[in-house]
Amino acid sequence: MERVFGAINGVFSFIGPLSDFLWEFPTNFGSYSSIPILGNISFAIILLLGSGIFFSFRIGFMQVTYFKKGIRTMTEKRVVETGISPLASFFLSSAMRVGPGNILGVTGAIAAGGPGALFWMWISAFFGMAVAYMEGVLAQIFKEKKDDEFVGGLPFYGRKLLGNKVWIGIFLSVLYILYALCCLPAQGFNVVSSVGRMAEIITGKTIASGSAFYYIVGTLIVILTAAIAFGGIKKVSRWTDMMVPVMAVLYFVITLFIIFTNLGSMPGVFKRIFEEAFGIRQVAAGGFGAVLMNGVKRGLFSNEAGSGSAPCAAAAAECDQPVKAGFVQALGVFVDTIVICSCTAMIMLLAPEDLVSGLSGMELLQTAMRYHLGEFGVIFIAATLFMFSFSTFLGILFYARSNVAYLFGDNWASQTGYKIIALVMLFIGGIAAYTFVWDLGDVGIGLMTIFNIFMLYPLGGKAIRELKNYEEEKKIKKV
């Protein structure tokens, strides 16, 4: 079996360099690696952050002015005849957003860029809310009705923009499916390994990766996922409606407890965050780009703003006005990054520096949780990673289904075939820690992001006009 795993890694040896090219070109790629001050700021990061700033000005910073409206939209009582409610759409998109990036992504960003990376995650989320609004509105405008569901997203509004050619829709749908398949193995690894960590803590014994235990757990999780996924969007939505609020609220409450028990340390934590974000030391060392890049990149990986994935959930919602889907999706970015990611950061930064120094990833967070809450904290963070990863896996399955339907028709054979492939990817990712699965995720989200952002510029006028029309209607009603 080890020989098979080695062969797989060899076949995918090109994934790492491709990931580096997408996320590090040109300032940290090849002969461009010595640009001063900028460090690791890449074209992709400039594209994302710049687009967020641009769209924020174009829509009058709606992430501030319509923040409360987003909350009210989610709580509106309505009878849904087709698709799902705005609240269910929020939970479905949050299932994709609130994932392992909120745990492992944050620990990686802070380990690589220091506490200042959190500040740039906040900044990327604030401007990312504007991008999420644009995606959500366009998804609503160009969505299509299939039976008792709505489908939409990048392949649908991208096809309209580029002349409504069949081959364009095919290309974008294939890209979307490849993106999903790239992300699935990493989620499988997180789901299964988190169960392994909990078992190790409970039994006190080390369980080797790739052992019989991982095969058994991976098989059981595949069976559970199949039971949910083969039930259709309504069943997936019911699970995400249940899982997302429970896991997010529990994580938030535990973090609040840790903050209140370490209240005297909070001023020092915020001092570190802002000093590391703007410190002279980072600029003088040419490392400012590393701080910014890690913050913005991990912010995107967490909240998905600009990647073109969340519009699938936005299109599925039944809204009387397209802007409401945009408000809800913008709020999803806020909850994901500014709330949930900050929870992870506070857990880490409130632990003694000498205790977590030199650690990274899950080991870092588990050490911090053991300091705060003992062994319960370690089990809790492993259980949280399981729920975050599992809900993300369900979200990915749903996001790709409409594109499978576009390519092969919305029939039992194509949908079943895709789900079987997805379950195989879940199992493969779960039984072995392949290095390439993480690079696969980077490649998938990088390609999606580049295509999606360039689609938003020429189509953005439609989303902006929808907001102006909404504001005009509000004025008329007040008269």
Side-chain angles (χ1 to χ4, degrees):
M1 187 61 69
E2 290 296 326
R3 188 175 299 175
V4 174
F5 291 161
I8 292 175
N9 275 308
V11 171
F12 287 94
S13 60
F14 70 94
I15 294 295
L18 179 57
S19 172
D20 292 340
F21 177 81
L22 288 172
W23 286 107
E24 298 182 8
F25 179 83
T27 57
N28 194 33
F29 190 82
S31 60
Y32 295 93
S33 59
S34 60
I35 292 179
I37 304 297
L38 291 179
N40 295 329
I41 301 178
S42 67
F43 170 75
I45 300 304
I46 293 171
L47 177 66
L48 285 166
L49 194 56
S51 297
I53 295 171
F54 174 78
F55 289 127
S56 292
F57 278 98
R58 289 295 308 275
I59 57 179
F61 288 88
M62 58 68 55
Q63 58 264 63
V64 177
T65 57
Y66 284 98
F67 186 85
K68 290 183 179 179
K69 183 60 181 177
I71 297 174
R72 288 198 295 269
T73 298
M74 288 196 304
T75 56
E76 287 179 351
K77 293 183 179 180
R78 60 168 59 237
V79 177
V80 178
E81 297 179 357
T82 304
I84 57 179
S85 69
L87 180 61
S89 172
F90 170 81
F91 286 142
L92 186 59
S93 62
S94 295
M96 182 68 178
R97 288 192 172 107
V98 181
N102 294 81
I103 296 178
L104 301 177
V106 177
T107 59
I110 293 178
L118 178 62
F119 173 82
W120 293 107
M121 290 183 75
W122 293 338
I123 296 299
S124 71
F126 176 77
F127 290 113
M129 290 172 72
V131 178
Y133 164 82
M134 304 292 288
E135 294 176 318
V137 175
L138 291 176
Q140 277 286 311
I141 293 174
F142 294 106
K143 68 183 180 182
E144 297 178 7
K145 187 176 180 180
K146 301 287 186 181
D147 298 325
D148 63 341
E149 300 176 7
F150 288 122
V151 295
L154 170 60
F156 292 81
Y157 57 72
R159 188 177 76 243
K160 299 287 185 180
L161 170 67
L162 299 176
N164 207 22
K165 303 293 185 182
V166 173
W167 70 267
I168 294 172
I170 293 174
F171 168 75
L172 292 174
S173 290
V174 169
L175 178 65
Y176 221 113
I177 294 169
L178 289 176
Y179 155 77
L181 293 177
C182 283
C183 294
L184 290 175
Q187 305 308 323
F189 173 77
N190 287 325
V191 169
V192 177
S193 63
S194 59
V195 177
R197 291 189 183 99
M198 287 187 283
E200 288 181 344
I201 297 165
I202 294 170
T203 62
K205 298 179 180 179
T206 301
I207 303 173
S209 177
S211 65
F213 173 85
Y214 281 88
Y215 282 92
I216 295 171
V217 171
T219 301
L220 292 175
I221 291 174
V222 165
I223 293 171
L224 173 62
T225 307
I228 299 170
F230 282 86
I233 181 177
K234 300 289 185 181
K235 194 167 187 178
V236 171
S237 178
R238 283 197 296 271
W239 272 79
T240 55
D241 287 357
M242 175 182 64
M243 290 183 67
V244 171
V246 169
M247 68 187 189
V249 169
L250 281 177
Y251 198 49
F252 184 65
V253 169
I254 289 290
T255 304
L256 283 181
F257 174 79
I258 293 172
I259 289 174
F260 282 120
T261 54
N262 295 272
L263 209 54
S265 302
M266 287 302 294
V269 168
F270 281 103
K271 181 181 179 182
R272 287 178 63 195
I273 291 171
F274 288 104
E275 282 183 348
E276 293 284 332
F278 296 102
I280 299 299
R281 178 177 63 81
Q282 283 80 13
V283 176
F288 171 70
V291 179
L292 191 152
M293 186 276 289
N294 279 286
V296 175
K297 179 180 176 181
R298 291 303 160 185
L300 166 71
F301 274 35
S302 175
N303 61 52
E304 301 277 321
S307 69
S309 57
C312 283
E318 184 180 282
C319 295
D320 54 357
Q321 293 170 300
V323 292
K324 291 186 176 181
F327 298 155
V328 169
Q329 293 307 311
L331 189 62
V333 173
F334 175 88
V335 170
D336 172 89
T337 304
I338 298 180
V339 177
I340 304 298
C341 286
S342 296
C343 288
T344 301
M346 293 305 156
I347 291 170
M348 294 170 52
L349 298 176
L350 285 170
E353 288 187 61
D354 57 347
L355 182 66
V356 297
S357 178
L359 301 179
S360 61
M362 198 61 178
E363 184 182 6
L364 188 160
L365 196 56
Q366 285 181 326
T367 302
M369 286 296 281
R370 182 177 285 111
Y371 169 79
H372 294 304
L373 301 172
E375 290 304 311
F376 165 77
V378 182
I379 295 175
F380 174 78
I381 201 65
T384 302
L385 179 62
F386 170 82
M387 289 194 295
F388 282 12
S389 301
F390 188 65
S391 68
T392 299
F393 192 91
L394 293 178
I396 294 172
L397 276 175
F398 165 72
Y399 282 0
R401 69 174 301 279
S402 60
N403 296 285
V404 172
Y406 179 82
L407 289 175
F408 306 106
D410 192 12
N411 52 67
W412 181 88
S414 61
Q415 291 295 331
T416 301
Y418 163 70
K419 289 169 185 174
I420 290 174
I421 293 173
L423 293 173
V424 170
M425 299 292 278
L426 167 64
F427 184 77
I428 290 175
I431 62 176
Y434 302 118
T435 56
F436 73 84
V437 298
W438 309 104
D439 291 329
L440 268 175
D442 286 1
V443 169
I445 201 170
L447 290 172
M448 282 288 295
T449 299
I450 290 172
F451 279 98
N452 184 60
I453 289 293
F454 281 113
M455 295 292 180
L456 294 183
Y457 279 94
L459 287 171
K462 295 181 180 294
I464 295 168
R465 282 195 296 273
E466 287 291 338
L467 184 59
K468 290 180 179 178
N469 293 338
Y470 176 75
E471 291 172 342
E472 288 297 324
E473 289 182 15
K474 283 177 58 182
K475 291 178 182 179
I476 294 172
K477 289 180 180 179
K478 288 181 180 180
V479 175

